[in-house]
Amino acid sequence: MADEPDVSQAAPTYGAINTRLLDGDLVNFLVSLRGAANETDVTAYAECAAAQYALIRGYGFARHVRTNVSESAGTWRGDAVYTISPAIPQGLQTIDAEVTVANCTEAGIPTV
């Protein structure tokens, strides 16, 4: 029907971000959101949290280690682990924290 909203274009509702320092530069991020289109929304939220956390700690980079995503009753949860570092780390899934936070802001994704 023409009067129904296009839910495919609705933005997710972002929930809490919980951070836990696991060991030195290894950090765990627990995120939750409702209305996610798929796992990509969850991983993007965790990445935004990791980038902002790196900046808060005075680091410029992060590297993705792993993300586990689950969904139950419309609530999506992400359990992600990143390393943070002052210099670009080795690995394939590195992020520049400043660039990532700027991209998150532009996309409307909250950070820590």
Side-chain angles (χ1 to χ4, degrees), residues 17-31:
I17 300 171
N18 294 305
T19 59
R20 293 185 295 188
L21 184 61
L22 299 176
D23 183 37
D25 64 352
L26 194 62
V27 185
N28 180 222
F29 298 90
L30 302 172
V31 299

Side-chain angles (χ1 to χ4, degrees), residues 20-99:
R20 293 185 295 188
L21 184 61
L22 299 176
D23 183 37
D25 64 352
L26 194 62
V27 185
N28 180 222
F29 298 90
L30 302 172
V31 299
S32 66
L33 59 157
R34 293 189 59 76
N38 53 42
E39 290 184 11
T40 303
D41 287 345
V42 181
T43 57
Y45 189 26
E47 183 173 296
C48 291
Q52 183 65 52
Y53 184 87
L55 293 177
I56 289 168
R57 294 292 186 169
Y59 295 106
F61 299 92
R63 181 177 58 84
H64 180 252
V65 176
R66 65 124 176 102
T67 301
N68 295 320
V69 176
S70 63
E71 186 272 333
S72 177
T75 298
W76 290 78
R77 299 187 192 292
D79 177 354
V81 176
Y82 284 82
T83 59
I84 57 173
S85 63
I88 196 162
Q90 291 187 354
L92 299 175
Q93 297 184 345
T94 60
I95 61 172
D96 180 315
E98 285 187 27
V99 171

